Structure formats: structure tokens, C-alpha cells
Amino acid sequence: MPEAASVQATVGDSEFDRDTAVTRREPGVYDVDLSAGWTIISAVNGGYLLAVLGRALADTLPHADPFTVSAYYLTASQPGPAVIRTDVVRAGRTLSTGQASLFQYDEEGRETERIRVLASYGDLGSLPDDVRTTAKPPAMPPIEQCFGPQDAPAPVPGSSAIADRLFLKLDPSTLGWALGAPSGNGEMRAWFGLADGRDPDPLSLLLAVDALPPTAFELGISGWVPTVELTVHVRCRPAPGPLRVSIATRNLAGGFLEEDAEVWDSADRLVAQSRQLARARLAG
Amino acid sequence: MPEAASVQATVGDSEFDRDTAVTRREPGVYDVDLSAGWTIISAVNGGYLLAVLGRALADTLPHADPFTVSAYYLTASQPGPAVIRTDVVRAGRTLSTGQASLFQYDEEGRETERIRVLASYGDLGSLPDDVRTTAKPPAMPPIEQCFGPQDAPAPVPGSSAIADRLFLKLDPSTLGWALGAPSGNGEMRAWFGLADGRDPDPLSLLLAVDALPPTAFELGISGWVPTVELTVHVRCRPAPGPLRVSIATRNLAGGFLEEDAEVWDSADRLVAQSRQLARARLAG
């Protein structure tokens, strides 16, 4: 999919897999090195962090696939070492529920909690094929008519290290903010993949739901939009090939806004839905 | 609002307040008696349970109003005694995050976890008045043209004790299921209040998002639709008067469906949004 990758990376052998790897120190305790490669300005991307926690939970729980993951972002993560502590809340036949927390160290060496997560895992491969849906894939121009950070004459505001890890092509109709003319619509749509060509899997969907520029940019808000809470539902194992991610904000009020994301795969299936509550830091 | 209530109950002195009351046994540990008055068939309503947990967290945390609450439903709660254990995850200036679990006892007297919750609380009264929204209240007929369980010639399938606690008037265009002719649309809309006339507050919004008949009924699925995960965002303190609740399911696939709820107050403000992932028990 990406134009530049000479050798296509595979699930299990890619930048994303290496940078989300967790090492089991003892049962339920994992060491991880948060990569500086997934930062936006200096902040570690929330979707990347979710995938790291998702890896630890997949190791702890008897089921491998995230079905629903709810993350509360407590303090800002930094690139570097971190510890993840997991617990099995309930191991069921078709679904297991777990909890995980990611910690880093403050100046005095004390553990500081960054994120706490509840999640239920299952086996996406075991689900029946029935689908009744009124949801439709987002109407988007073909990839060739969309634009990524690499297409900008100067660095796009808000882009950073993560831009080199992603294959991100934004629908021009949601790119007004980059030209100084936000539409006011609160929508963001993009073709999404990993820059090294690794195909999507349930774990990378946790990244996909939080990897586009904030919808707040299209509402004319240019500041930082920190996530308070994000829940993602993985509905289907994605087919190989590029994903389409569509995010919408309908209600900005009292300094908070929701971001609703849908992820569609190359087979036109709705593979993930997410919603986050974020803070809008208005000017001043 | 309700036709029958001769004396209007108030926030703090109503069925809902009495039945969600928690008693602090020691710091962070609360006793509660789950009321049989909020059951559907034999199951305790998930929104009522969320409000009970919300009361305990409001006591534990330094902030009083739920901003975002994520609940994982582990095992089926029963009317009767329960224990809630809470923890402060992080106490911040504008938002505090907590965790809570509700336990009951099995036949051998062992604690069994029913629900685990993560939540962030704040002060809705302190939020600025700015609103930028493209969301619109649901188009619904006036209350007089909507129908509740009390209007049915015979008990409506799925109604039960909770029907006596609620003022629920369903939009007739989402009532096909009750007449044996589900629309296939996956939508459910209703005017919502408490039967004793108590006005809505942030806590009762936790009930409102999960108190309508399942959207699955309108998809032609008549069985039990247990919630796996439910997250609610309270966006605004509701004005007095009836609420409008609009719930939509767009995607039923692999035996799971999402239910997206919006709650609007009498001042036409979007006061809560929720999404749940539920299991559809298809026939057979």
C-alpha cells in the first residue's frame, strides 16, 4: 500500500509490533519501552499507548482479541521505560475481562500512573457471520486524491514523529484547517495504514481510532486536545489493505467534546467503533 | 410531568434516591440493598446499577458530578444486599478519576463481582457556557401521542417492575416490535422521567441511557440483550422537566451490537451521550 516501502512488513515483524512489544517480568507485570517514534510534538500518541496496553492484556487474558477497551488517561506519558500491571477480572467462556495500568517514574523515582484500562477480550474468529447493518462506509475520494503530511510543502501543524510511522491520506474536504480555513464541521476522514506496509489486525485498530488529527482543528481550535476517556469496540477482524477512518464531533460544550470514530476495512466492513471524551483548550 | 403523581418527589427525596442510597461502612466500602423495584423480568436494570455505583463514587471522589463512567458487566446482579468497593485513582483539580466494583454473594457466601467501573468526576456547574453543536434533538411526537407500558391492553413484553418507577412514553414509530411488526430500523425513542415526578439530575442520567426497551426488539430480536460494556458521558446538568432519549443501533454483526444513546433536556440541550456493546442472543 505505501508507495515507499520496498519490503512489506508483516504482522509480527513490523515497526508497530516491535514498538508495542511488552516483556513479561513476572505474571501480570510487563516492561515496555515507549518509543519516541509515536509522538505528536512531545506527547506519546494515545492510540499507540492503547495498543501497548492491549498487547499486555492479550498476554494476561485467556482470549487474544480485544472486543472492548476503555481507557482513562490520567497523566501525560513520556517516551522511555514504563511498567504495565494487569489483572484478570473475570475469565469467561466466550469473553474475558481484564484491567491494566501503565506506570512511569517521576523525578523522585516514584511510580506515576499514566493510564488505567478495563477491557473484554474474546475470539473474533469464532463469531458467526451474521451482519445486519444500516452503517455505510464513508464517502471518500480515492487515495490518490487524498493528502498526507508528506505532501505538504512545509510540515503540517501538529505532525511529528508518528507521521513517519503511518500511511495517512486525509480527505481534502476535511483539510481546511491545514490551509487556515477550518470548515467548522468537526469531521476528519483518512485512508489509514502503517508506513512499512504491515496489514491491519485487531491490535492495530486500537491505534487507528486515535491517529488522525483532532476534529477540533476543523472546528477552528488549534490547541492541544487531551483525551479524558476513550472506548473502542473491535467488531470484526480487518481484511488486508488500507483502512478508512471517519471521525466526527457533533457537540463541543463546556470545554469538552466527543470524537466518534468508525474504521472500515477494504472489504467494506465496519471493523471498529470508538468514542472519546476530550478537553478542548480554547484560546486564552 | 407524570399524570398520576399527586405529590411531586424532589431530588434527594424520591424512589430513585432511596433505592440508590449507599451506606458507608468504612472509607471506600459501601453497603447497598439492590431494590427489586428496578428489575426487568428478573434482571436488575443496568442503568439503575450504574446510578448506585455512581452514588458511591460521588461519595469517594472529591468531585460530585459524573463526567464519564465506563462499566463492565461481569455477572448478572440480583435484588438484595451488595457491597461496593471504591478507590481514588487520581484526584485532580478539575477532574478526579475513580474505580468501583459491586459484589454480591454466591451460595457459599463468597463475594462475586457483578460490575467493575472506571469513572471521571468533575463539577458540571463550573463549566463555561460555550456550545458549538451540530447535534439536533430527535424529532418526536408530543408526549400525548406517545405510549407507555401503562397504555398497553396487556402487559408489554419485556416490561416489569421498573415500568412502575419510570415515566416512559415511547415514540409510536419505534413501537412496531410491541405490535409484532418490528421496523428493522434499530431505533428506540422515548420521553423519559421518573414516575414520582423527581426532576432529572446528573445521577439519573446514568439510569436514563439504559432504561428503554432494547433497540434489538426493533431489529426483530426478542431475546435478552445483555450489556458487555457501557460508557456514558454526562455533558451538561439537565434542566427540570421531561427528557427525550434517542437510541440507535447501526451495526449488528457476529452476535454483538452497539446501542448509541443521546439524552436531551427540556431546554433542548444534549445532556448525555452513551454507547454500549451488547450481545444479541439470536433465536436457537
Side-chain angles (χ1 to χ4, degrees):
Chain A
M1 172 180 52
E3 302 95 332
S6 54
V7 178
Q8 177 158 323
T10 56
V11 173
D13 184 14
S14 74
E15 285 183 320
F16 176 72
D17 295 287
R18 284 187 286 280
D19 289 347
T20 58
V22 297
T23 306
R24 192 185 341 185
R25 186 199 294 178
E26 56 187 81
V29 183
Y30 301 86
D31 289 298
V32 58
D33 192 43
L34 298 180
S35 164
W38 302 83
T39 51
I40 302 168
I41 316 297
S42 64
V44 182
N45 172 262
Y48 164 71
L49 292 167
L50 209 54
V52 168
L53 283 151
R55 286 280 292 266
L57 280 166
D59 187 81
T60 295
L61 294 171
H63 295 94
D65 296 325
F67 274 45
T68 169
V69 183
S70 300
Y72 281 69
Y73 292 82
L74 307 168
T75 57
S77 298
Q78 309 294 331
V83 177
I84 298 172
R85 299 180 191 280
T86 64
D87 279 308
V88 178
V89 177
R90 180 172 182 270
R93 193 173 54 83
T94 58
L95 285 179
S96 299
T97 301
Q99 175 166 333
S101 290
L102 186 142
F103 299 89
Q104 290 189 305
Y105 303 95
D106 66 10
E107 304 76 37
E108 282 88 44
R110 289 174 303 212
E111 280 194 355
T112 301
E113 190 168 353
R114 299 299 193 204
I115 311 174
R116 189 173 295 200
V117 162
L118 285 174
S120 288
Y121 276 53
D123 177 5
L124 287 168
S126 73
L127 299 184
D129 288 333
D130 64 298
V131 177
R132 296 188 215 179
T133 189
T134 57
K136 290 188 172 51
M140 279 173 60
I143 293 180
E144 309 77 55
Q145 295 171 26
C146 293
F147 297 94
Q150 292 80 1
D151 302 316
V156 173
S159 74
S160 201
I162 193 172
D164 296 329
R165 310 272 101 65
L166 301 181
F167 174 82
L168 196 61
K169 293 287 186 180
L170 288 147
D171 182 334
S173 70
T174 67
L175 261 176
W177 58 276
L179 306 168
S183 68
N185 282 337
E187 296 177 2
M188 201 64 70
R189 287 183 295 277
W191 293 92
F192 177 90
L194 291 161
D196 60 10
R198 177 200 190 271
D199 276 318
D201 71 346
L203 197 74
S204 74
L205 296 178
L206 305 188
L207 168 68
V209 298
D210 196 34
L212 271 57
T215 53
F217 287 2
E218 276 292 88
L219 294 170
I221 295 165
S222 56
W224 183 235
V225 188
T227 303
V228 176
E229 183 272 337
L230 187 160
T231 293
V232 54
H233 296 164
V234 176
R235 305 296 302 273
C236 182
R237 192 181 295 279
L243 300 169
R244 281 155 295 173
V245 182
S246 172
I247 310 186
T249 294
R250 298 169 66 225
N251 193 61
L252 164 63
F256 288 83
L257 71 163
E258 91 285 358
E259 277 200 16
D260 279 359
E262 289 187 353
V263 185
W264 293 79
D265 72 2
S266 61
D268 274 355
R269 288 177 307 187
L270 180 55
V271 293
Q273 291 172 300
S274 77
R275 177 177 289 161
Q276 67 172 269
L277 185 70
R279 284 197 215 208
R281 294 276 165 76
L282 301 176
Chain B
M1 167 181 53
E3 303 95 332
S6 53
V7 178
Q8 177 159 323
T10 56
V11 172
D13 183 13
S14 72
E15 284 184 320
F16 176 73
D17 295 288
R18 285 187 286 279
D19 289 347
T20 57
V22 298
T23 306
R24 192 184 343 184
R25 187 199 294 178
E26 57 187 81
V29 183
Y30 302 86
D31 289 297
V32 58
D33 192 43
L34 299 180
S35 163
W38 302 83
T39 51
I40 302 167
I41 315 295
S42 64
V44 182
N45 172 262
Y48 164 71
L49 292 166
L50 209 55
V52 169
L53 283 151
R55 286 279 292 266
L57 280 165
D59 188 81
T60 296
L61 293 171
H63 294 94
D65 297 325
F67 274 46
T68 169
V69 183
S70 300
Y72 281 69
Y73 292 82
L74 306 168
T75 57
S77 298
Q78 309 295 330
V83 177
I84 297 172
R85 299 180 190 280
T86 64
D87 279 307
V88 178
V89 176
R90 179 171 183 271
R93 192 173 54 82
T94 58
L95 285 180
S96 299
T97 302
Q99 175 166 333
S101 291
L102 186 142
F103 299 89
Q104 290 188 306
Y105 303 93
D106 67 11
E107 304 77 37
E108 282 88 44
R110 289 175 302 211
E111 279 195 355
T112 302
E113 190 168 353
R114 300 299 192 203
I115 310 174
R116 189 173 294 201
V117 162
L118 285 174
S120 289
Y121 277 53
D123 176 5
L124 287 168
S126 74
L127 299 183
D129 287 333
D130 64 300
V131 176
R132 296 188 214 179
T133 188
T134 57
K136 289 188 173 49
M140 278 174 60
I143 293 180
E144 309 76 56
Q145 294 170 28
C146 293
F147 297 95
Q150 291 81 0
D151 301 316
V156 173
S159 74
S160 200
I162 194 172
D164 296 331
R165 311 272 103 64
L166 301 181
F167 173 81
L168 196 62
K169 293 286 185 180
L170 288 147
D171 182 336
S173 69
T174 67
L175 261 176
W177 58 276
L179 306 168
S183 69
N185 282 336
E187 296 177 1
M188 200 67 69
R189 286 183 295 276
W191 294 92
F192 177 91
L194 291 161
D196 60 10
R198 177 200 191 271
D199 276 319
D201 72 344
L203 198 74
S204 74
L205 296 178
L206 306 187
L207 169 67
V209 297
D210 196 34
L212 271 57
T215 53
F217 287 2
E218 275 293 88
L219 294 170
I221 296 165
S222 56
W224 184 236
V225 189
T227 303
V228 176
E229 183 273 337
L230 187 159
T231 294
V232 53
H233 297 163
V234 176
R235 305 296 302 273
C236 182
R237 193 180 295 279
L243 301 169
R244 283 154 293 173
V245 182
S246 172
I247 310 187
T249 293
R250 297 169 67 226
N251 193 60
L252 163 64
F256 289 83
L257 71 164
E258 92 283 359
E259 276 200 16
D260 279 0
E262 288 187 355
V263 185
W264 294 79
D265 73 2
S266 63
D268 275 355
R269 288 177 307 187
L270 180 55
V271 292
Q273 291 172 301
S274 77
R275 177 177 288 162
Q276 67 173 271
L277 184 70
R279 285 197 214 208
R281 293 276 165 76
L282 302 176

